[in-house]
């Protein structure tokens, strides 16, 4: 059994002492105190976070622009739909008017032919 009072005989766990709070891969050689690895790593992570934040802000700007464009497109689509309804009602009305005019001419021509036939036979 290992005695925890004798740190020189303890060989296990995360560090060289029985209750060391260090983690595997941590450098405890004092390098981070001299502005070395830890500060560089932190700066690198902060730079990456800044870049991600810039990208997120750009993407949000693009989303807002697209939302504005979609709003404009929706307005145009609504106007086109209203114009379509007006066009359909105008086209239906014009169609009825032209059909009635054609029918009137057919009736006038038919009556003229009947009158000519009646005059010729009589």
């Amino acid at each position: 059994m290992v005695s925890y009072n004798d740190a020189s005989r303890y060989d296990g766990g995360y560090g060289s002492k029985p209750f060391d709070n260090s983690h595997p891969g941590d450098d405890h050689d004092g390098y981070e105190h001299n502005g070395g690895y830890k500060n560089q790593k932190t700066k690198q992570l902060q730079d990456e976070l800044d870049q991600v934040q810039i990208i997120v802000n750009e993407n949000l700007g693009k989303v807002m622009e697209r939302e504005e464009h979609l709003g404009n497109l929706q307005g145009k689509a609504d106007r086109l739909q209203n114009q379509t309804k007006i066009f359909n009602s105008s086209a239906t009305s014009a169609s009825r008017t032209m059909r009635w005019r054609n029918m009137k001419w057919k009736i006038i021509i038919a009556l003229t032919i009947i009158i000519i036939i009646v005059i010729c036979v009589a």
Side-chain angles (χ1 to χ4, degrees), residues 65-108:
E65 287 177 19
R66 286 184 185 138
E67 185 177 335
E68 183 179 329
H69 290 287
L70 286 175
N72 291 341
L73 287 175
Q74 184 64 40
K76 289 178 182 179
D78 290 341
R79 285 190 297 276
L80 281 174
Q81 188 174 13
N82 290 335
Q83 289 175 350
T84 301
K85 289 178 184 178
I86 292 169
F87 175 79
N88 282 336
S89 65
S90 297
T92 302
S93 176
S95 175
R96 286 183 187 151
T97 302
M98 293 307 293
R99 198 174 325 137
W100 178 244
R101 283 184 186 171
N102 286 338
M103 193 62 133
K104 280 198 275 185
W105 278 109
K106 287 179 183 178
I107 292 171
I108 290 172

Side-chain angles (χ1 to χ4, degrees), residues 14 18 44 103:
Y14 288 110
Q44 180 184 5
M103 193 62 133

Side-chain angles (χ1 to χ4, degrees), residues 1-118:
M1 185 157 149
V2 176
S3 169
Y4 292 109
N5 293 331
D6 186 11
S8 63
R9 292 182 12 184
Y10 182 75
D11 187 29
Y14 288 110
S16 60
K17 296 182 182 176
F19 297 103
D20 191 1
N21 288 331
S22 64
H23 298 285
D26 283 351
D27 294 323
H28 289 288
D29 57 0
Y31 189 64
E32 72 261 9
H33 296 293
N34 297 328
Y37 175 77
K38 292 277 183 176
N39 287 338
Q40 289 174 356
K41 186 80 168 177
T42 304
K43 183 175 180 345
Q44 180 184 5
L45 288 173
Q46 185 61 45
D47 290 344
E48 289 177 15
L49 284 173
D50 290 343
Q51 290 173 355
V52 168
Q53 186 176 12
I54 289 169
I55 292 170
V56 167
N57 287 337
E58 288 174 356
N59 288 341
L60 286 174
K62 289 177 183 178
V63 166
M64 297 298 286
E65 287 177 19
R66 286 184 185 138
E67 185 177 335
E68 183 179 329
H69 290 287
L70 286 175
N72 291 341
L73 287 175
Q74 184 64 40
K76 289 178 182 179
D78 290 341
R79 285 190 297 276
L80 281 174
Q81 188 174 13
N82 290 335
Q83 289 175 350
T84 301
K85 289 178 184 178
I86 292 169
F87 175 79
N88 282 336
S89 65
S90 297
T92 302
S93 176
S95 175
R96 286 183 187 151
T97 302
M98 293 307 293
R99 198 174 325 137
W100 178 244
R101 283 184 186 171
N102 286 338
M103 193 62 133
K104 280 198 275 185
W105 278 109
K106 287 179 183 178
I107 292 171
I108 290 172
I109 291 172
L111 285 175
T112 304
I113 292 174
I114 291 173
I115 291 173
I116 291 174
I117 292 176
V118 168

